Amino acid sequence: MTGSAINLSEPRRIHLVGAGGSGMNAIGLVLAEMGHALSGSDLRPGPGMTRLAAQGARVAIGHDPANLGDVDLVAHSSAVPVGNAELVAARSRGIPVLSRAELLSRICQRKRTLAVGGTHGKTTTSSMLSLCLVAAGGHPSFLVGGELNEIGSGAVWDTAGEWFVVEADESDGTFLELGADAVLVTNVEPDHLGHYGSFNALVDAFVRFCAGADGFRMLCADDHEAAALASRVGDCITYGISPQADYRIVQPRTGRSGAGFDLIHRGTLIGRCEMPLPGMHNVTNAAGALAAALELGAAASPMIEALGRFAGVARRFERRGERDGISFVDDYAHLPTEVEAAISAARSGGWRRIVVVFQPHRYSRVASLWQDFEDAFAGADQLVLTDIYPADEMPCPGVSTELVLGAVLDAHPYAPVAYLPGRAELRSYLRCNLRPGDVCLTLGAGDLTTLADELLHVS
């Protein structure tokens, strides 16, 4: 059987290489719920491997051809090199080998797919959309990049429902392989330029993403590039604060305890939404989720009620605790506009000071975007920068946190900024400088997320 002939309508024996990574792990959980027999391997143990084992998968730590067993299909994450021993063995045995994107596209063939894309906001928006459809009785299946706190998982397969909500990853172009029936785009900003080569090429990819959908195309009217994309593609539905939006946000508000807004569709009030998640960016995310669900025919009332208890997604303005009158909040924000949005949400919370700790993410991203951070931290009372989290990248000559530091100080010469590369000195500095009434806001997509726990629970 060739890779192109693989379909998942019947139970298969599937082996996942890199099964502990967030993307492949979530797919594994969906495959298990679909009834497929799973095995998986990764270089190290972790929560993802434990979750797969709990679903009955045979898991192995380390890569070895013996891990394959008698399988019908092997799939791998993008982080797994071509020369991986298990992939080489599978090809030599004639076992079909699929990338993560190719496997996900096979899953999408089993249901009608609504793909949520965009440079940022797509995890929260797709999570809100999934929760709305659950509350409205739509029995959606979904695969999102974070864990829904109400459900405990970001990966669910429900055989009773028609729709599959997928967070669409544009980082390597794989969102074009999903074959989505409907799409939602939150925004389009420069990122992943190492893959695309230019921003224009990235925009062209989003054009193909939208144009390929036979169903509705939902785009945010408040984002300049998304609005331009809607005009370019044509026959799109828009949402946002903009007076031209089809689904319009009016009377928005945000504070420490949450946010709210009215949603109007072409002059008709849909309802008033109140949710325990702060930030104007989350108002927009919620409006997009509601609008998309309404286009699928879902009833507004149960969805608005569900958003009223939406507890958020892990690492999205996640309250981690309080100690000695100091609040700790952690957020995944690592792009300039995400950073601005997170700081704006904190600013509406009424804290005495906002102390931001930022960990830049990937050398390639810093090399492309360092100048764009010049105004991103303007809303913070104190900024602390630490070293770049490399992810899977090797250091790049001339690329360091000092580029971000220089951009900030060139634009704001008197900004209170500290650069502390090491974790021990970072903890010591914060313990000495944080004061009652402050919020310590940790931002980044790397391992900075553990800092809050270190400051909360370690003496």
Side-chain angles (χ1 to χ4, degrees):
M1 184 185 304
T2 64
S4 61
I6 285 286
N7 74 73
L8 301 177
S9 60
E10 299 176 358
R12 303 285 183 186
R13 293 163 297 181
I14 303 173
H15 181 74
L16 306 179
V17 186
S22 59
M24 187 59 78
N25 191 252
I27 286 179
L29 297 176
V30 165
L31 289 170
E33 292 188 358
M34 292 174 71
H36 301 288
L38 290 186
S39 59
S41 63
D42 212 313
L43 289 175
R44 56 188 63 87
M49 298 298 279
T50 302
R51 282 193 292 267
L52 283 181
Q55 291 291 323
R58 175 175 54 85
V59 300
I61 305 304
H63 297 307
D64 189 309
N67 293 335
L68 296 181
D70 185 19
V71 297
D72 303 311
L73 170 67
V74 172
H76 63 92
S77 74
S78 57
V80 175
V82 176
N84 175 275
E86 294 179 8
L87 300 186
V88 171
R91 293 187 182 101
S92 68
R93 289 171 52 185
I95 301 172
V97 176
L98 299 181
S99 68
R100 174 187 176 276
E102 290 170 333
L103 178 60
L104 180 55
S105 70
R106 301 303 192 281
I107 298 174
C108 290
Q109 292 171 5
R110 302 298 306 140
K111 288 182 178 286
R112 300 185 71 188
T113 297
L114 198 172
V116 180
T119 309
H120 51 83
K122 53 185 177 287
T123 298
T124 300
T125 303
S126 54
S127 299
M128 289 175 165
L129 173 56
S130 300
L131 182 65
C132 283
L133 292 174
V134 168
H139 295 277
S141 298
F142 51 88
L143 184 66
V144 302
E147 294 186 0
L148 279 71
N149 291 331
E150 292 88 348
I151 298 172
S153 173
V156 168
W157 189 260
D158 190 332
T159 58
E162 177 185 11
W163 283 93
F164 182 35
V165 177
V166 178
E167 180 180 340
D169 179 16
E170 82 282 4
S171 64
D172 56 1
T174 55
F175 69 149
L176 299 176
E177 300 181 32
L178 300 178
D181 298 277
V183 298
L184 188 158
V185 176
T186 57
N187 42 61
V188 183
E189 296 181 7
D191 198 14
H192 312 297
L193 301 186
H195 172 77
Y196 289 98
S198 70
F199 182 55
N200 286 339
L202 172 64
V203 171
D204 288 342
F206 271 100
V207 169
R208 296 196 298 276
F209 175 64
C210 293
D214 294 329
F216 69 78
R217 301 132 175 187
M218 179 84 62
L219 294 97
C220 182
D222 299 335
D223 179 76
H224 174 75
E225 293 296 339
L229 182 63
S231 297
R232 185 172 169 184
V233 173
D235 193 23
C236 294
I237 303 167
T238 58
Y239 67 95
I241 295 174
S242 168
Q244 285 73 45
D246 296 309
Y247 286 89
R248 188 180 172 199
I249 298 166
V250 296
Q251 298 184 13
R253 66 153 192 88
T254 182
R256 185 186 299 194
S257 61
F261 63 98
D262 289 347
L263 186 66
I264 293 176
H265 182 223
R266 295 174 181 168
T268 300
L269 177 66
I270 300 297
R272 176 73 176 174
C273 180
E274 301 283 349
M275 56 187 180
L277 198 63
M280 286 302 302
H281 61 301
N282 284 317
V283 166
T284 305
N285 292 336
L290 277 173
L294 288 166
E295 287 296 314
L296 296 183
S301 179
M303 295 193 296
I304 291 174
E305 183 180 345
L307 287 174
R309 59 178 185 272
F310 181 67
V313 183
R315 298 219 60 201
R316 271 65 177 184
F317 211 83
E318 182 179 7
R319 295 174 182 267
R320 301 297 290 274
E322 184 174 320
R323 179 175 179 174
D324 300 326
I326 302 163
S327 301
F328 293 86
V329 176
D330 182 51
D331 197 281
Y332 192 71
H334 55 283
L335 298 174
T337 49
E338 293 175 336
V339 167
E340 287 185 58
I343 294 173
S344 176
R347 180 58 62 192
S348 69
W351 281 286
R352 181 174 175 273
R353 292 191 311 160
I354 300 171
V355 179
V356 171
V357 187
F358 179 63
Q359 182 183 47
H361 187 253
R362 292 183 182 271
Y363 293 100
S364 60
R365 182 171 279 129
V366 172
S368 297
L369 301 176
W370 63 271
Q371 288 182 304
D372 295 337
F373 283 102
E374 62 180 5
D375 297 321
F377 304 99
D381 297 293
Q382 171 76 51
L383 171 61
V384 184
L385 298 172
T386 190
D387 267 351
I388 295 172
Y389 183 78
D392 55 357
E393 294 183 346
M394 297 297 292
C396 180
V399 179
S400 72
T401 299
E402 292 183 20
L403 289 174
V404 178
L405 176 64
V408 171
L409 290 178
D410 283 346
H412 306 275
Y414 302 105
V417 185
Y419 174 34
L420 302 168
R423 184 60 66 90
E425 59 184 325
L426 179 59
R427 287 194 301 267
S428 177
Y429 176 88
L430 290 170
R431 287 192 179 111
C432 290
N433 286 275
L434 289 172
R435 309 166 193 165
D438 289 352
V439 59
C440 179
L441 178 61
T442 50
L443 303 177
D447 60 5
L448 191 70
T449 185
T450 63
L451 180 63
D453 291 332
E454 295 167 22
L455 294 171
L456 279 165
H457 305 303
V458 179
S459 300

